[in-house]
Amino acid sequence: MEGFKFYEKGNSTDQLKIPYSYTSFTFLPKLSLIPWNGGFLYPKFMAESDLEGGFTDDFYKRTYTDSLFSFQSNEESVRFLISLPQESKFLNGEYHGSLIPVPFLEGKEFYLLNWIRPEILHYQQQGNEFIYQKTVNLDLENWVSYDEVPLNQASKFYDSFGKKMPGTFRDIFSIGDYLVVQYTLGISEDTFSQAKGESGRLDPEKIYQLNPPLLAVLDKELNVLAKGIVLPNGVNGQLVVDRKGRLVGQKNPSLSSVEESNLVLYRMNLKAY
């Protein structure tokens, strides 16, 4: 059993072992290993034992009813916490696809993006738990949604992805008094054919032009202040915030008409007007 390994200047310094056998089928847009309460909080990995009963309706239902995160420390082996609120649309009895968490913790405020719905779930730390507060929908224009299916037809969920590309939430940052959310709107059925190259396969450059990374800005009360902010052309969408509160992104050379011989980084300041 493995888990997370820690490195400093290229040297392995420690590791966090997950104390059960888990499936390697795990996709996270970001690492999401969060220091908290003397240990680490991270998205829960699916145990191999969860697969023993097969892909039944109950298996797909537990995608949304089970706890979403694990917590480990030297004092505790593993503890599961943070669940979807009862009013979540993920709990309507349909299958919505894999629930990919994109979390952000600031102080006692825990913000959770669920990757495939344009909403932010707000939790607040109370003791050793996180208590649900509210859900805020970003109301993104031209958002391309997935097509939910009945639980007993979950295997057909991804069939529609050959006709369109749903929008996704990718990351969330804190910059001063603001939260910044990174997302893509997706590609609708009307324009999906334009994302393919001459071979008929999806072309990354065409996808970027049709479905570029965008930003939305919210205050700490989760009021949406701006959305649809376009990054400089060619930024690959993998962003971090530096110590001066600037967004930093790497240039994708395949998306530029100018060829450089070295790595190019963009530094971007967030300005309020």
Side-chain angles (χ1 to χ4, degrees):
M1 292 178 287
E2 295 291 342
F4 298 93
K5 292 186 177 181
F6 300 87
Y7 291 86
E8 184 175 350
K9 296 181 179 180
N11 298 315
S12 178
T13 58
D14 202 355
Q15 62 179 329
L16 180 69
K17 292 186 177 181
I18 297 176
Y20 57 86
S21 298
Y22 61 92
T23 174
S24 60
F25 180 69
T26 302
F27 170 75
L28 297 173
K30 58 186 294 186
L31 185 60
S32 301
L33 182 66
I34 304 172
W36 180 67
N37 268 17
F40 290 93
L41 185 70
Y42 59 89
K44 179 182 175 184
F45 289 88
M46 182 187 300
E48 290 184 353
S49 58
D50 291 339
L51 298 172
E52 293 177 353
F55 296 100
T56 62
D57 292 3
D58 182 65
F59 170 84
Y60 290 114
K61 181 179 180 180
R62 286 188 284 110
T63 300
Y64 314 116
T65 57
D66 284 357
S67 299
L68 301 177
F69 286 82
S70 301
F71 172 73
Q72 282 184 246
S73 68
N74 292 332
E75 287 71 33
E76 295 184 63
S77 174
V78 64
R79 179 162 59 95
F80 302 121
L81 67 168
I82 306 177
S83 300
L84 291 173
Q86 290 299 314
E87 61 264 36
S88 172
K89 293 184 178 180
F90 283 109
L91 301 176
N92 66 354
E94 301 278 287
Y95 185 65
H96 305 252
S98 298
L99 187 59
I100 309 296
V102 181
F104 177 67
L105 175 65
E106 184 174 49
K108 293 188 176 182
E109 311 303 322
F110 186 85
Y111 306 99
L112 179 61
L113 282 64
N114 53 51
W115 205 55
I116 53 176
R117 291 191 65 88
E119 62 188 17
I120 300 176
L121 280 66
H122 177 208
Y123 296 77
Q124 192 172 72
Q125 179 184 347
Q126 296 182 17
N128 293 322
E129 300 288 340
F130 288 96
I131 306 302
Y132 171 74
Q133 302 297 306
K134 62 181 178 180
T135 297
V136 175
N137 192 300
L138 267 66
D139 294 323
L140 298 174
E141 294 82 4
N142 300 317
W143 175 269
V144 181
S145 62
Y146 56 86
D147 297 324
E148 57 193 74
V149 298
L151 287 173
N152 59 8
Q153 297 180 29
S155 61
K156 299 181 180 179
F157 173 78
Y158 293 99
D159 290 354
S160 65
F161 284 46
K163 303 176 183 178
K164 63 180 178 178
M165 182 176 292
T168 58
F169 270 0
R170 293 290 177 170
D171 213 340
I172 178 170
F173 316 93
S174 177
I175 300 179
D177 296 328
Y178 306 100
L179 292 172
V180 179
V181 172
Q182 182 186 352
Y183 64 96
T184 59
L185 288 172
I187 304 175
S188 67
E189 291 189 41
D190 294 338
T191 57
F192 188 72
S193 61
Q194 299 176 29
K196 298 179 180 180
E198 295 180 359
S199 65
R201 297 181 179 180
L202 292 175
D203 185 316
E205 295 183 32
K206 294 180 182 295
I207 290 175
Y208 182 93
Q209 297 301 327
L210 292 169
N211 192 30
L214 302 171
L215 301 178
V217 180
L218 302 87
D219 62 23
K220 294 299 175 70
E221 299 300 320
L222 297 184
N223 298 303
V224 180
L225 306 178
K227 49 191 175 181
I229 300 173
V230 181
L231 293 170
N233 188 41
V235 176
N236 65 7
Q238 301 300 319
L239 304 175
V240 296
V241 178
D242 68 13
R243 294 178 181 178
K244 294 184 178 180
R246 299 173 299 192
L247 280 171
V248 180
Q250 180 179 337
K251 185 176 184 178
N252 185 341
S254 66
L255 299 174
S256 174
S257 58
V258 179
E259 184 174 349
E260 285 93 5
S261 58
N262 57 305
L263 179 68
V264 177
L265 298 177
Y266 291 88
R267 288 176 177 170
M268 296 161 279
N269 290 313
L270 178 66
K271 292 186 177 181
Y273 294 96

